[in-house]
Amino acid sequence: MSEIPEVKTREETDLILDEIVSQAYQCMECGRCTGSCPMVALFPKDFHPHHLLSEITKDPEKVLRGYELWFCASCYKCNNRCPQGLEYPYFIMQLRRLAVRKNGVTPLRKAFSRIRTIIPYPVTFLSVCIHPERINLDPSIIEKLHSENLSRIRKEKSPATGPKIGVVGSGAAGLMGAYELRKMGYRVTIFESQSNPGGMFSTAIPEYRLPLKIVLEEIDNLRHPGIEIRTDTAFGRDITLDQLRKDNYMAILLSTGAHACKELGIKGEDFEGVFNTLDFLAALKLKHKKLTGKRVVVIGGGNTAMDAAAAAMRYGAKETILLYRRTREEMPADMNEIREAEKEGVQIRYLEAPVGIHGVKSKLNQLECMKMQLGEPDLTGRRRPVPVEGSNFILAADILVIAIGEKPQTESFPDETATSKDGTILVNPMSMETSIPGVFAAGDNVLGPATVPDAIIGARRAATGIDNYIKTS
Ligand SMILES: Cc1cc2nc3c(=O)[nH]c(=O)nc-3n(C[C@H](O)[C@H](O)[C@H](O)COP(=O)(O)OP(=O)(O)OC[C@H]3O[C@@H](n4cnc5c(N)ncnc54)[C@H](O)[C@@H]3O)c2cc1C
Ligand code: SF4
Ligand code: SF4
C-alpha cells in the first residue's frame, strides 16, 4: 500500500484524509478485524473497527471528532487477518494526528473516561495503547489526565473479608487479576520478584513512551482498595505453592510474564557491553544508562528489537544498526514499529547475522557477521536464512543488544505445571486453570510475548475462573 506522509500543513491534512478515505473504500466489510480485536472484547460498547472504517468513508470529519478513534491499541491482529491487507492501525495513527490538530483532546478525554471504568491503571494503559510519541502528543496532556484521574479516585474503605488469593507477578495481567478479585471481595496479595511492581511497564517500555512515575503512582492506588503488594519476593525462591497453601491461600494466579531472553549461542555473549533486550531496556529506564557517542548493534526483527533500537537512538547513541537475518518480508515486527525505528535513525540491515563477538579483556569492541541468503522454508513456514560462504565482515560496536525473543522463565513454576515446548503454561482456555487444581495463569506466561490488552483479557477470565473454583470447591 502507498505510504501516507506526515502531517505538516493544513492543505496536506486534507490530502492525507482523502488518501485514508480512498483506502477505507477498499474494505469489504467482512468484519474479521472486529472479530479479532482485543479492544472490542474489552470495550464492546465503544469500539468496532470495521464500523469505524465505514464511518470514515461516509463522514471523515465526524470520525475525527469522535472518541472511537482512541481505542485501537495498534496490536496489528486485524492487519494480519484482513483479506484486503488494510493497515488499520496506521490509518488510526494518522487520523489521531489530524484529530488532535483539528479538534484538540476532547475526544481523547472521552475515550479515557471509558477506559478508567474498566482498567485500574488507565493512564498506563492509554499510553501503551495510543503511543503518544508517534502522534507527537504533548506529554503534559498525559500528565494532566493522570493527575485528574488520581484526584477522582474513590478510595475503598471497607476491608475485604473473602478468602485469600495469591497473585504472582505485578505486570499487566497480575494487576488486572488482583483488581478484579478484590472487586469480588477476595483478600489479594501480589508477590513480585522485582523491587518495583509493574512488570514490563516499569522495566522495559521506554520512559519516553511510559513514565515510571505514572506507572508507580497508578499501582500505588491499587494498594488502597486493599491489595497487598510484596515486592522483592520471588515465587519458587522466597515463597512456594506449598507455603501459600499452608497460609490458606485458596487459589493462585501465576502472571509471571515472559522474561527469559533467548541467546545467540555464540562465544562472547558474556562480554561487557553485551545485553539481552530486557536488561538493556531496564538499564535505560531504571539506571538511566548513558549511550552518548556509542555504536549500538541490535540483533532481531521483532517489536521488542525495534523498541530497543529506537530507544538507543533516543538515548543518544551515535549510531544504531539493527541486523535481521531474513528480509523485510519475513520480519515479525509491526510496520509502525519499523517506521518508528527508521524515523529515529536506526539503520536496518537485512540478510545479515552475527557469528562472533570480539573484544579486548572481555569487553566488546567488534561484531563479526555474515551475509545470509534465503533457503528452504523451516518449521515456521518462513524461508531459512543460510550463511553465504566467505561473506564474513566486521562491525565496530560498543554495545550489542540481543533481541531475538523472550519466553517464560519456567524454573519458578511448580513441578507439576504442564507447559508447551516454548515454556508457555497450558491452561483451560475458559477458566485459565493450569494442570494444577486451584492454580491459574494469565498473560505472557500463557501466550508468549503478547500485548497488554491480551494480558488483561486473560486476567479477567482467570479472576472469573478463580471465583467459580472457590464457589464450587
Ligand atoms: C519493550 C516492550 C514494549 C512493549 N510495548 C507494548 C505496546 O506498545 N503495547 C502492548 O500492548 N504491549 C507491549 N508490550 C508487551 C506487554 O508489555 C506485555 O504483553 C505485558 O506486559 C504482559 O503482561 P504480564 O503481566 O503477562 O507480564 P509482565 O508485564 O512481564 O509482568 C510479569 C511480572 O511477573 C514478575 N515475576 C516473574 N517471575 C516471578 C516470580 N517467580 N516471582 C514473583 N514475580 C515474578 C516479573 O518481575 C514481572 O513484574 C511490550 C513489551 C516490551 C518488552
Ligand atoms: S478485515 Fe479488512 S476488509 Fe474486513 S472489515 Fe476489517 S478492514 Fe474491512
Ligand atoms: S490494531 Fe489491534 S486494537 Fe487496533 S483495531 Fe486492529 S485488532 Fe483492534
Side-chain angles (χ1 to χ4, degrees), residues 142-174:
I142 297 290
E143 280 157 25
K144 191 148 188 272
L145 281 179
H146 176 56
S147 59
E148 285 171 5
N149 183 53
L150 287 189
S151 64
R152 266 197 236 120
I153 287 169
R154 281 183 296 120
K155 306 272 187 222
E156 185 66 60
K157 292 203 180 78
S158 52
T161 50
K164 280 163 63 174
I165 311 289
V167 173
V168 182
S170 63

PDB file of all heavy atoms in Angstrom, residues 142-174:
ATOM      1  N   ILE A 142      -0.896  13.867  28.824  1.00  0.00           N
ATOM      2  CA  ILE A 142      -0.971  12.599  29.557  1.00  0.00           C
ATOM      3  C   ILE A 142      -0.806  12.855  31.061  1.00  0.00           C
ATOM      4  O   ILE A 142      -1.525  12.297  31.889  1.00  0.00           O
ATOM      5  CB  ILE A 142       0.135  11.628  29.044  1.00  0.00           C
ATOM      6  CG1 ILE A 142      -0.085  11.288  27.563  1.00  0.00           C
ATOM      7  CG2 ILE A 142       0.219  10.372  29.894  1.00  0.00           C
ATOM      8  CD1 ILE A 142      -1.275  10.405  27.276  1.00  0.00           C
ATOM      9  N   GLU A 143       0.133  13.742  31.400  1.00  0.00           N
ATOM     10  CA  GLU A 143       0.343  14.059  32.825  1.00  0.00           C
ATOM     11  C   GLU A 143      -0.921  14.649  33.453  1.00  0.00           C
ATOM     12  O   GLU A 143      -1.282  14.333  34.590  1.00  0.00           O
ATOM     13  CB  GLU A 143       1.493  15.063  32.982  1.00  0.00           C
ATOM     14  CG  GLU A 143       2.864  14.402  32.901  1.00  0.00           C
ATOM     15  CD  GLU A 143       3.948  15.394  32.503  1.00  0.00           C
ATOM     16  OE1 GLU A 143       3.788  16.614  32.741  1.00  0.00           O
ATOM     17  OE2 GLU A 143       4.953  14.951  31.925  1.00  0.00           O
ATOM     18  N   LYS A 144      -1.609  15.507  32.676  1.00  0.00           N
ATOM     19  CA  LYS A 144      -2.827  16.143  33.206  1.00  0.00           C
ATOM     20  C   LYS A 144      -3.923  15.074  33.427  1.00  0.00           C
ATOM     21  O   LYS A 144      -4.585  15.059  34.465  1.00  0.00           O
ATOM     22  CB  LYS A 144      -3.304  17.206  32.214  1.00  0.00           C
ATOM     23  CG  LYS A 144      -4.370  18.102  32.735  1.00  0.00           C
ATOM     24  CD  LYS A 144      -4.256  19.508  32.125  1.00  0.00           C
ATOM     25  CE  LYS A 144      -5.220  20.466  32.813  1.00  0.00           C
ATOM     26  NZ  LYS A 144      -6.531  20.501  32.223  1.00  0.00           N
ATOM     27  N   LEU A 145      -4.072  14.188  32.434  1.00  0.00           N
ATOM     28  CA  LEU A 145      -5.068  13.113  32.593  1.00  0.00           C
ATOM     29  C   LEU A 145      -4.753  12.321  33.872  1.00  0.00           C
ATOM     30  O   LEU A 145      -5.652  11.942  34.616  1.00  0.00           O
ATOM     31  CB  LEU A 145      -5.024  12.152  31.403  1.00  0.00           C
ATOM     32  CG  LEU A 145      -5.712  12.572  30.105  1.00  0.00           C
ATOM     33  CD1 LEU A 145      -5.531  11.481  29.052  1.00  0.00           C
ATOM     34  CD2 LEU A 145      -7.195  12.828  30.331  1.00  0.00           C
ATOM     35  N   HIS A 146      -3.467  12.088  34.077  1.00  0.00           N
ATOM     36  CA  HIS A 146      -3.035  11.298  35.234  1.00  0.00           C
ATOM     37  C   HIS A 146      -3.381  12.010  36.545  1.00  0.00           C
ATOM     38  O   HIS A 146      -3.993  11.424  37.444  1.00  0.00           O
ATOM     39  CB  HIS A 146      -1.534  11.037  35.128  1.00  0.00           C
ATOM     40  CG  HIS A 146      -0.957  10.318  36.303  1.00  0.00           C
ATOM     41  ND1 HIS A 146      -1.430   9.110  36.728  1.00  0.00           N
ATOM     42  CD2 HIS A 146       0.046  10.647  37.157  1.00  0.00           C
ATOM     43  CE1 HIS A 146      -0.748   8.712  37.787  1.00  0.00           C
ATOM     44  NE2 HIS A 146       0.148   9.633  38.068  1.00  0.00           N
ATOM     45  N   SER A 147      -3.027  13.299  36.633  1.00  0.00           N
ATOM     46  CA  SER A 147      -3.283  13.983  37.918  1.00  0.00           C
ATOM     47  C   SER A 147      -4.789  14.129  38.144  1.00  0.00           C
ATOM     48  O   SER A 147      -5.271  13.967  39.275  1.00  0.00           O
ATOM     49  CB  SER A 147      -2.555  15.320  38.005  1.00  0.00           C
ATOM     50  OG  SER A 147      -2.975  16.137  36.963  1.00  0.00           O
ATOM     51  N   GLU A 148      -5.555  14.379  37.083  1.00  0.00           N
ATOM     52  CA  GLU A 148      -7.022  14.469  37.252  1.00  0.00           C
ATOM     53  C   GLU A 148      -7.581  13.129  37.714  1.00  0.00           C
ATOM     54  O   GLU A 148      -8.440  13.053  38.580  1.00  0.00           O
ATOM     55  CB  GLU A 148      -7.683  14.858  35.922  1.00  0.00           C
ATOM     56  CG  GLU A 148      -7.489  16.312  35.569  1.00  0.00           C
ATOM     57  CD  GLU A 148      -7.949  16.627  34.148  1.00  0.00           C
ATOM     58  OE1 GLU A 148      -8.502  15.727  33.478  1.00  0.00           O
ATOM     59  OE2 GLU A 148      -7.748  17.754  33.713  1.00  0.00           O
ATOM     60  N   ASN A 149      -7.045  12.062  37.120  1.00  0.00           N
ATOM     61  CA  ASN A 149      -7.547  10.730  37.456  1.00  0.00           C
ATOM     62  C   ASN A 149      -7.248  10.389  38.920  1.00  0.00           C
ATOM     63  O   ASN A 149      -8.114   9.895  39.636  1.00  0.00           O
ATOM     64  CB  ASN A 149      -6.931   9.687  36.528  1.00  0.00           C
ATOM     65  CG  ASN A 149      -7.489   8.311  36.789  1.00  0.00           C
ATOM     66  OD1 ASN A 149      -8.711   8.128  36.799  1.00  0.00           O
ATOM     67  ND2 ASN A 149      -6.634   7.351  37.040  1.00  0.00           N
ATOM     68  N   LEU A 150      -6.031  10.713  39.362  1.00  0.00           N
ATOM     69  CA  LEU A 150      -5.674  10.415  40.756  1.00  0.00           C
ATOM     70  C   LEU A 150      -6.616  11.138  41.721  1.00  0.00           C
ATOM     71  O   LEU A 150      -7.049  10.578  42.726  1.00  0.00           O
ATOM     72  CB  LEU A 150      -4.238  10.852  41.047  1.00  0.00           C
ATOM     73  CG  LEU A 150      -3.105  10.020  40.444  1.00  0.00           C
ATOM     74  CD1 LEU A 150      -1.773  10.477  41.018  1.00  0.00           C
ATOM     75  CD2 LEU A 150      -3.290   8.532  40.706  1.00  0.00           C
ATOM     76  N   SER A 151      -6.952  12.389  41.384  1.00  0.00           N
ATOM     77  CA  SER A 151      -7.775  13.159  42.314  1.00  0.00           C
ATOM     78  C   SER A 151      -9.228  12.669  42.320  1.00  0.00           C
ATOM     79  O   SER A 151      -9.974  12.947  43.254  1.00  0.00           O
ATOM     80  CB  SER A 151      -7.714  14.647  41.975  1.00  0.00           C
ATOM     81  OG  SER A 151      -8.282  14.836  40.705  1.00  0.00           O
ATOM     82  N   ARG A 152      -9.621  11.932  41.264  1.00  0.00           N
ATOM     83  CA  ARG A 152     -11.019  11.480  41.187  1.00  0.00           C
ATOM     84  C   ARG A 152     -11.248  10.105  41.815  1.00  0.00           C
ATOM     85  O   ARG A 152     -12.373   9.689  42.024  1.00  0.00           O
ATOM     86  CB  ARG A 152     -11.430  11.389  39.709  1.00  0.00           C
ATOM     87  CG  ARG A 152     -12.110  12.656  39.240  1.00  0.00           C
ATOM     88  CD  ARG A 152     -12.866  12.376  37.957  1.00  0.00           C
ATOM     89  NE  ARG A 152     -12.414  13.288  36.931  1.00  0.00           N
ATOM     90  CZ  ARG A 152     -11.854  12.935  35.791  1.00  0.00           C
ATOM     91  NH1 ARG A 152     -11.685  11.681  35.492  1.00  0.00           N
ATOM     92  NH2 ARG A 152     -11.466  13.845  34.936  1.00  0.00           N
ATOM     93  N   ILE A 153     -10.161   9.406  42.105  1.00  0.00           N
ATOM     94  CA  ILE A 153     -10.326   8.022  42.560  1.00  0.00           C
ATOM     95  C   ILE A 153     -10.959   7.956  43.937  1.00  0.00           C
ATOM     96  O   ILE A 153     -10.558   8.665  44.858  1.00  0.00           O
ATOM     97  CB  ILE A 153      -8.960   7.290  42.546  1.00  0.00           C
ATOM     98  CG1 ILE A 153      -8.595   7.026  41.087  1.00  0.00           C
ATOM     99  CG2 ILE A 153      -9.005   5.994  43.339  1.00  0.00           C
ATOM    100  CD1 ILE A 153      -7.200   6.558  40.880  1.00  0.00           C
ATOM    101  N   ARG A 154     -11.997   7.128  44.040  1.00  0.00           N
ATOM    102  CA  ARG A 154     -12.637   6.938  45.346  1.00  0.00           C
ATOM    103  C   ARG A 154     -11.917   5.796  46.061  1.00  0.00           C
ATOM    104  O   ARG A 154     -11.792   4.710  45.521  1.00  0.00           O
ATOM    105  CB  ARG A 154     -14.111   6.575  45.169  1.00  0.00           C
ATOM    106  CG  ARG A 154     -14.976   7.798  44.863  1.00  0.00           C
ATOM    107  CD  ARG A 154     -16.443   7.432  44.776  1.00  0.00           C
ATOM    108  NE  ARG A 154     -16.704   6.521  43.649  1.00  0.00           N
ATOM    109  CZ  ARG A 154     -17.211   5.309  43.774  1.00  0.00           C
ATOM    110  NH1 ARG A 154     -17.504   4.834  44.954  1.00  0.00           N
ATOM    111  NH2 ARG A 154     -17.426   4.549  42.713  1.00  0.00           N
ATOM    112  N   LYS A 155     -11.405   6.092  47.238  1.00  0.00           N
ATOM    113  CA  LYS A 155     -10.663   5.051  47.962  1.00  0.00           C
ATOM    114  C   LYS A 155     -11.641   4.047  48.585  1.00  0.00           C
ATOM    115  O   LYS A 155     -12.643   4.428  49.181  1.00  0.00           O
ATOM    116  CB  LYS A 155      -9.820   5.666  49.089  1.00  0.00           C
ATOM    117  CG  LYS A 155      -8.894   6.775  48.602  1.00  0.00           C
ATOM    118  CD  LYS A 155      -7.580   6.216  48.139  1.00  0.00           C
ATOM    119  CE  LYS A 155      -6.602   7.342  47.822  1.00  0.00           C
ATOM    120  NZ  LYS A 155      -5.828   7.157  46.644  1.00  0.00           N
ATOM    121  N   GLU A 156     -11.311   2.786  48.412  1.00  0.00           N
ATOM    122  CA  GLU A 156     -12.119   1.718  49.018  1.00  0.00           C
ATOM    123  C   GLU A 156     -11.873   1.716  50.526  1.00  0.00           C
ATOM    124  O   GLU A 156     -10.724   1.656  50.962  1.00  0.00           O
ATOM    125  CB  GLU A 156     -11.661   0.391  48.405  1.00  0.00           C
ATOM    126  CG  GLU A 156     -12.448  -0.815  48.811  1.00  0.00           C
ATOM    127  CD  GLU A 156     -13.877  -0.796  48.308  1.00  0.00           C
ATOM    128  OE1 GLU A 156     -14.088  -0.756  47.081  1.00  0.00           O
ATOM    129  OE2 GLU A 156     -14.757  -0.797  49.173  1.00  0.00           O
ATOM    130  N   LYS A 157     -12.944   1.824  51.325  1.00  0.00           N
ATOM    131  CA  LYS A 157     -12.728   1.897  52.783  1.00  0.00           C
ATOM    132  C   LYS A 157     -12.951   0.554  53.470  1.00  0.00           C
ATOM    133  O   LYS A 157     -12.258   0.190  54.400  1.00  0.00           O
ATOM    134  CB  LYS A 157     -13.654   2.955  53.385  1.00  0.00           C
ATOM    135  CG  LYS A 157     -13.261   4.373  52.943  1.00  0.00           C
ATOM    136  CD  LYS A 157     -13.759   5.429  53.911  1.00  0.00           C
ATOM    137  CE  LYS A 157     -13.363   6.828  53.476  1.00  0.00           C
ATOM    138  NZ  LYS A 157     -14.195   7.375  52.412  1.00  0.00           N
ATOM    139  N   SER A 158     -13.969  -0.199  52.981  1.00  0.00           N
ATOM    140  CA  SER A 158     -14.295  -1.438  53.705  1.00  0.00           C
ATOM    141  C   SER A 158     -13.263  -2.523  53.402  1.00  0.00           C
ATOM    142  O   SER A 158     -12.909  -2.743  52.247  1.00  0.00           O
ATOM    143  CB  SER A 158     -15.682  -1.927  53.300  1.00  0.00           C
ATOM    144  OG  SER A 158     -15.738  -2.004  51.894  1.00  0.00           O
ATOM    145  N   PRO A 159     -12.759  -3.192  54.462  1.00  0.00           N
ATOM    146  CA  PRO A 159     -11.758  -4.232  54.216  1.00  0.00           C
ATOM    147  C   PRO A 159     -12.407  -5.452  53.565  1.00  0.00           C
ATOM    148  O   PRO A 159     -13.577  -5.754  53.823  1.00  0.00           O
ATOM    149  CB  PRO A 159     -11.253  -4.569  55.622  1.00  0.00           C
ATOM    150  CG  PRO A 159     -12.350  -4.134  56.544  1.00  0.00           C
ATOM    151  CD  PRO A 159     -13.101  -3.039  55.874  1.00  0.00           C
ATOM    152  N   ALA A 160     -11.640  -6.144  52.710  1.00  0.00           N
ATOM    153  CA  ALA A 160     -12.158  -7.376  52.110  1.00  0.00           C
ATOM    154  C   ALA A 160     -12.160  -8.466  53.172  1.00  0.00           C
ATOM    155  O   ALA A 160     -11.287  -8.503  54.027  1.00  0.00           O
ATOM    156  CB  ALA A 160     -11.272  -7.774  50.943  1.00  0.00           C
ATOM    157  N   THR A 161     -13.157  -9.320  53.111  1.00  0.00           N
ATOM    158  CA  THR A 161     -13.251 -10.366  54.131  1.00  0.00           C
ATOM    159  C   THR A 161     -13.252 -11.761  53.503  1.00  0.00           C
ATOM    160  O   THR A 161     -13.307 -12.755  54.214  1.00  0.00           O
ATOM    161  CB  THR A 161     -14.551 -10.191  54.944  1.00  0.00           C
ATOM    162  OG1 THR A 161     -15.620 -10.058  54.004  1.00  0.00           O
ATOM    163  CG2 THR A 161     -14.496  -8.976  55.848  1.00  0.00           C
ATOM    164  N   GLY A 162     -13.209 -11.822  52.173  1.00  0.00           N
ATOM    165  CA  GLY A 162     -13.292 -13.118  51.480  1.00  0.00           C
ATOM    166  C   GLY A 162     -12.017 -13.935  51.630  1.00  0.00           C
ATOM    167  O   GLY A 162     -11.052 -13.504  52.269  1.00  0.00           O
ATOM    168  N   PRO A 163     -11.999 -15.130  51.018  1.00  0.00           N
ATOM    169  CA  PRO A 163     -10.805 -15.974  51.067  1.00  0.00           C
ATOM    170  C   PRO A 163      -9.576 -15.277  50.489  1.00  0.00           C
ATOM    171  O   PRO A 163      -9.694 -14.325  49.710  1.00  0.00           O
ATOM    172  CB  PRO A 163     -11.197 -17.177  50.212  1.00  0.00           C
ATOM    173  CG  PRO A 163     -12.686 -17.172  50.168  1.00  0.00           C
ATOM    174  CD  PRO A 163     -13.103 -15.742  50.284  1.00  0.00           C
ATOM    175  N   LYS A 164      -8.398 -15.798  50.890  1.00  0.00           N
ATOM    176  CA  LYS A 164      -7.139 -15.200  50.423  1.00  0.00           C
ATOM    177  C   LYS A 164      -6.741 -15.762  49.057  1.00  0.00           C
ATOM    178  O   LYS A 164      -6.808 -16.983  48.839  1.00  0.00           O
ATOM    179  CB  LYS A 164      -6.018 -15.522  51.419  1.00  0.00           C
ATOM    180  CG  LYS A 164      -6.034 -14.601  52.636  1.00  0.00           C
ATOM    181  CD  LYS A 164      -5.232 -15.143  53.789  1.00  0.00           C
ATOM    182  CE  LYS A 164      -3.771 -15.300  53.530  1.00  0.00           C
ATOM    183  NZ  LYS A 164      -2.998 -15.707  54.721  1.00  0.00           N
ATOM    184  N   ILE A 165      -6.314 -14.877  48.174  1.00  0.00           N
ATOM    185  CA  ILE A 165      -5.818 -15.301  46.853  1.00  0.00           C
ATOM    186  C   ILE A 165      -4.414 -14.739  46.688  1.00  0.00           C
ATOM    187  O   ILE A 165      -4.164 -13.571  46.987  1.00  0.00           O
ATOM    188  CB  ILE A 165      -6.684 -14.728  45.693  1.00  0.00           C
ATOM    189  CG1 ILE A 165      -8.186 -14.955  45.916  1.00  0.00           C
ATOM    190  CG2 ILE A 165      -6.224 -15.301  44.346  1.00  0.00           C
ATOM    191  CD1 ILE A 165      -8.642 -16.369  45.784  1.00  0.00           C
ATOM    192  N   GLY A 166      -3.504 -15.556  46.161  1.00  0.00           N
ATOM    193  CA  GLY A 166      -2.146 -15.086  45.867  1.00  0.00           C
ATOM    194  C   GLY A 166      -1.990 -14.843  44.372  1.00  0.00           C
ATOM    195  O   GLY A 166      -2.421 -15.661  43.555  1.00  0.00           O
ATOM    196  N   VAL A 167      -1.436 -13.703  44.039  1.00  0.00           N
ATOM    197  CA  VAL A 167      -1.163 -13.385  42.632  1.00  0.00           C
ATOM    198  C   VAL A 167       0.353 -13.280  42.490  1.00  0.00           C
ATOM    199  O   VAL A 167       0.992 -12.556  43.261  1.00  0.00           O
ATOM    200  CB  VAL A 167      -1.847 -12.066  42.209  1.00  0.00           C
ATOM    201  CG1 VAL A 167      -1.416 -11.648  40.809  1.00  0.00           C
ATOM    202  CG2 VAL A 167      -3.367 -12.202  42.273  1.00  0.00           C
ATOM    203  N   VAL A 168       0.929 -13.998  41.556  1.00  0.00           N
ATOM    204  CA  VAL A 168       2.387 -13.953  41.369  1.00  0.00           C
ATOM    205  C   VAL A 168       2.697 -13.094  40.143  1.00  0.00           C
ATOM    206  O   VAL A 168       2.309 -13.429  39.028  1.00  0.00           O
ATOM    207  CB  VAL A 168       2.973 -15.369  41.200  1.00  0.00           C
ATOM    208  CG1 VAL A 168       4.488 -15.283  41.064  1.00  0.00           C
ATOM    209  CG2 VAL A 168       2.583 -16.253  42.364  1.00  0.00           C
ATOM    210  N   GLY A 169       3.386 -11.980  40.380  1.00  0.00           N
ATOM    211  CA  GLY A 169       3.730 -11.073  39.278  1.00  0.00           C
ATOM    212  C   GLY A 169       2.803  -9.871  39.281  1.00  0.00           C
ATOM    213  O   GLY A 169       1.590 -10.003  39.495  1.00  0.00           O
ATOM    214  N   SER A 170       3.396  -8.678  39.081  1.00  0.00           N
ATOM    215  CA  SER A 170       2.588  -7.455  39.155  1.00  0.00           C
ATOM    216  C   SER A 170       2.641  -6.670  37.858  1.00  0.00           C
ATOM    217  O   SER A 170       2.719  -5.452  37.855  1.00  0.00           O
ATOM    218  CB  SER A 170       3.104  -6.591  40.307  1.00  0.00           C
ATOM    219  OG  SER A 170       4.448  -6.208  40.021  1.00  0.00           O
ATOM    220  N   GLY A 171       2.610  -7.383  36.724  1.00  0.00           N
ATOM    221  CA  GLY A 171       2.533  -6.710  35.424  1.00  0.00           C
ATOM    222  C   GLY A 171       1.078  -6.499  35.034  1.00  0.00           C
ATOM    223  O   GLY A 171       0.178  -6.526  35.888  1.00  0.00           O
ATOM    224  N   ALA A 172       0.871  -6.303  33.739  1.00  0.00           N
ATOM    225  CA  ALA A 172      -0.481  -6.017  33.228  1.00  0.00           C
ATOM    226  C   ALA A 172      -1.484  -7.064  33.701  1.00  0.00           C
ATOM    227  O   ALA A 172      -2.597  -6.735  34.130  1.00  0.00           O
ATOM    228  CB  ALA A 172      -0.439  -5.975  31.705  1.00  0.00           C
ATOM    229  N   ALA A 173      -1.112  -8.345  33.637  1.00  0.00           N
ATOM    230  CA  ALA A 173      -2.043  -9.418  33.978  1.00  0.00           C
ATOM    231  C   ALA A 173      -2.253  -9.516  35.490  1.00  0.00           C
ATOM    232  O   ALA A 173      -3.398  -9.572  35.964  1.00  0.00           O
ATOM    233  CB  ALA A 173      -1.525 -10.750  33.434  1.00  0.00           C
ATOM    234  N   GLY A 174      -1.158  -9.515  36.255  1.00  0.00           N
ATOM    235  CA  GLY A 174      -1.278  -9.668  37.708  1.00  0.00           C
ATOM    236  C   GLY A 174      -2.095  -8.543  38.326  1.00  0.00           C
ATOM    237  O   GLY A 174      -2.965  -8.772  39.171  1.00  0.00           O
TER     238      GLY A 174
END
